[in-house]
Amino acid sequence: MIEDRKNAILLGQRIATGTRSELLKEAQALIGVGGVIATVNPIMLVRAVKNPALERALHHSLNIPDGVGIKSALMKRGVETEVFPGVELVPELLQEGGSVGIVGGEAGVAERAFSELYRHNDKLTFAFCYDGYTF
C-alpha cells in the first residue's frame, strides 16, 4: 500500500485527501482534459472489489471522499481529510459550463440530478446518465 500526503489507498483504490479547497483544485485540473472524477463512498469501493468494470473505472479516476464513511476509514489509518460530496462538488466545478456525465443512485436519480444542475446552469451539455445499478 502506498500512501502519501495527497492520496491514501482503501480497498485497492487511490483516494485523494486534503482540504475541500485542495480537493476542488485537483478536480478543476481535470476539467477540459478528459479527466474522470468520482466522489466515492464505502459501497462503491466494496462493489469495485467484486466488479472488474467498476474497479477499472475507479482506478483511472480522481476519487474524492464523498462522506463520513470514507473519512472514518481514513481516520482509522491516521489519514485526515475533508470530504466533498458530489452534490456540492459538481456545482463548483461546472460554474463555467461543460459536458456532464452522471453515474449513481437508483433508477431516475442521475437524470433528476442532471435536470437540477441544468436548471441552475444552462451552459451544461448532457453527455450520459447511468443509474448506480448499471454496474
Side-chain angles (χ1 to χ4, degrees):
M1 168 180 42
I2 299 171
E3 293 189 7
D4 60 35
R5 187 174 105 55
K6 295 291 179 190
N7 293 288
I9 306 295
L10 287 176
L11 293 178
Q13 296 298 332
R14 188 178 62 251
I15 310 296
T17 62
T19 65
R20 284 173 67 100
S21 63
E22 290 170 332
L23 295 169
L24 177 61
K25 188 177 280 190
E26 283 192 58
Q28 286 171 326
L30 295 177
I31 301 297
V33 296
V36 176
I37 302 161
T39 55
V40 296
N41 62 39
I43 293 170
M44 290 173 70
L45 294 182
V46 169
R47 282 190 179 167
V49 169
K50 298 177 181 181
N51 185 312
L54 180 56
E55 188 278 330
R56 281 190 305 276
L58 292 180
H59 181 75
H60 295 288
S61 300
L62 170 63
N63 298 314
I64 294 180
D66 187 77
V68 69
I70 297 294
K71 182 175 181 164
S72 295
L74 291 172
M75 284 180 65
K76 287 181 180 184
R77 304 174 103 183
V79 178
E80 291 195 29
T81 189
E82 293 184 4
V83 298
F84 213 145
V87 69
E88 296 171 10
L89 175 65
V90 171
E92 291 280 335
L93 289 174
L94 298 175
Q95 289 180 5
E96 303 300 317
S99 180
V100 179
I102 300 176
V103 178
E106 295 179 358
V109 171
E111 291 88 349
R112 288 193 307 273
F114 178 80
S115 294
E116 186 64 19
L117 283 170
Y118 188 79
R119 188 170 71 84
H120 293 286
N121 184 344
D122 62 3
K123 298 179 204 171
L124 300 179
T125 303
F126 180 76
F128 62 85
C129 230
Y130 298 109
D131 66 59
Y133 301 96
T134 302
F135 290 103

